[in-house]
Amino acid sequence: MSACGSACGKAILLGEHAVVYGRPAIAVPVPARRAVAEVRAAPAGSGIVVVASELQARYLLGASDVDEHGRFLLAAVEGALAATGAGSAGTDLEVHVRSSIPMARGMGSGAAVSAAIARAIAAHRGITLSRERLSELVFATERLLHGTPSGIDNTVVAYEAPVWFRRGQEAEVLAVAKPLTLVIGDTGIPSRTHESVAWVRRRWEADPASLEAVFDAIGEAVERGREALLRGDVGELGALMDRNQALLEQLGVSDPALENLILAARRAGALGAKLSGGGMGGCMLALATPDEAQRVQAALCAAGAVEVIVATVTGPAAV
Ligand code: PMV
């Protein structure tokens, strides 16, 4: 008997980094890119094994040679088993994981893999996890990857809907008034979120007043972005993305590869463009009208993006 679960990728429309310091942020799902997990019963005594196709790896719980990826995947399995009332001792399972979300690019691949595993294990045990419980479970594994995550990635992946997120508060699903066409360009450079978050932390410790002012300005852009989303004002939203990018540049988390793609998107007619996620590599995100999206996509490819994903964001989707 086997059971499957899947979860989407994500992009941060506005507010990354400042969200770690209590300001709001808006994240959206990218359902075209997914992580999928399949749980299969395994022969008695074989233990818990995770097979990760992209990593070409097979991890056995309790083995001594498990690397960082394996520890993350096995922790997701153990967390999901515990949440569904089962222990890992004496359990025999094979969990197969695959994902079309680029890894370490700020697209939430870790959160999606963890959510897919939790959904598959819950389905295998005949249990439905609420989105809040799922989000909590994914948050626990995110901590292994990022140290001090704000909680935005696990939230948007578990809700699979545009979310308004503020640390310590219940997330709110946003009813997007007009579908958004996003064009996501991958620099091909790994974005190490824990490093960019640590960099901002060091700058904040050295000069809290200046950094707090930048976070406030980002928070204001996010508040205005929320209103623009709810009214369907994509022109204003694009301008706010540009403003957010300028503030992220002030924080020092942008880089030339991201800025090259951001400029190419703007020149090709994007309404706005910014980095998405931790930055210092990873992906950028452009907002386009449906008519201009293809032109922006072509411009990003010509400017050297290793991959371009076009995503449409609508209201909340059923999972
Ligand atoms: O995981 P990433 O790279 O999408 O970054 C998440 C956004 C940050 O604000 C940089 C970190 C966080 O935990 O919110």
Side-chain angles (χ1 to χ4, degrees), residues 183-216:
V183 190
I184 299 167
D186 184 353
T187 61
I189 301 167
S191 163
R192 299 186 209 291
T193 304
H194 61 279
E195 281 171 23
S196 63
V197 169
W199 159 258
V200 174
R201 174 73 56 182
R202 282 196 296 278
R203 291 200 56 190
W204 178 76
E205 280 165 1
D207 184 3
S210 303
L211 273 275
E212 286 291 332
V214 178
F215 298 149
D216 281 342

Side-chain angles (χ1 to χ4, degrees), residues 50-69:
V50 179
V51 181
S53 23
E54 275 74 32
L55 301 171
Q56 297 187 321
R58 189 180 171 88
Y59 301 106
L60 170 67
L61 181 69
S64 56
D65 59 345
V66 175
D67 64 16
E68 194 195 350
H69 294 297

Side-chain angles (χ1 to χ4, degrees), residues 10 12 15-20 105-108 142 146 148-153 165 191-193 196-197 276-279:
K10 72 102 215 313
I12 297 185
E16 51 276 271
H17 286 289
V19 71
V20 176
R105 299 293 200 277
M107 284 198 66
E142 283 288 285
H146 297 320
T148 55
S150 64
I152 192 166
D153 281 18
F165 177 86
S191 163
R192 299 186 209 291
T193 304
S196 63
V197 169
S276 175

Side-chain angles (χ1 to χ4, degrees), residues 12-245:
I12 297 185
L13 201 57
L14 293 166
E16 51 276 271
H17 286 289
V19 71
V20 176
Y21 296 80
R23 275 56 167 197
I26 298 172
V28 295
V30 179
R33 292 304 172 106
R34 305 194 75 81
V36 180
E38 185 190 354
V39 177
R40 302 178 193 160
S46 55
I48 294 177
V49 172
V50 179
V51 181
S53 23
E54 275 74 32
L55 301 171
Q56 297 187 321
R58 189 180 171 88
Y59 301 106
L60 170 67
L61 181 69
S64 56
D65 59 345
V66 175
D67 64 16
E68 194 195 350
H69 294 297
R71 285 197 294 279
F72 171 77
L73 293 165
L74 290 165
V77 172
E78 284 191 284
L81 282 170
T84 56
S88 46
T91 301
D92 302 302
L93 282 180
E94 250 191 35
V95 183
H96 292 252
V97 180
R98 59 181 200 280
S99 170
S100 59
I101 307 166
M103 277 172 66
R105 299 293 200 277
M107 284 198 66
S109 94
V113 164
S114 165
I117 288 175
R119 283 188 172 133
I121 286 183
H124 189 71
R125 295 188 39 75
I127 289 169
T128 306
L129 293 170
S130 71
R131 62 189 187 184
E132 291 78 11
R133 185 73 190 105
L134 178 64
S135 180
E136 271 171 29
L137 274 177
V138 177
F139 183 64
T141 49
E142 283 288 285
R143 290 176 73 154
L144 290 179
L145 279 187
H146 297 320
T148 55
S150 64
I152 192 166
D153 281 18
N154 46 288
T155 303
V156 65
V157 162
Y159 283 51
E160 193 147 348
V163 292
W164 168 263
F165 177 86
R166 196 191 273 263
R167 222 176 165 151
Q169 293 180 8
E170 202 177 315
E172 187 188 327
V173 173
L174 294 175
V176 174
K178 189 171 169 183
L180 303 179
T181 307
L182 300 178
V183 190
I184 299 167
D186 184 353
T187 61
I189 301 167
S191 163
R192 299 186 209 291
T193 304
H194 61 279
E195 281 171 23
S196 63
V197 169
W199 159 258
V200 174
R201 174 73 56 182
R202 282 196 296 278
R203 291 200 56 190
W204 178 76
E205 280 165 1
D207 184 3
S210 303
L211 273 275
E212 286 291 332
V214 178
F215 298 149
D216 281 342
I218 293 176
E220 258 169 54
V222 180
E223 301 265 2
R224 287 172 54 198
R226 174 198 172 104
E227 296 311 314
L229 257 185
L230 298 179
R231 305 196 288 278
D233 186 346
V234 290
E236 166 80 352
L237 193 57
L240 289 165
M241 288 168 68
D242 287 344
R243 164 92 182 125
N244 194 169
Q245 171 61 21

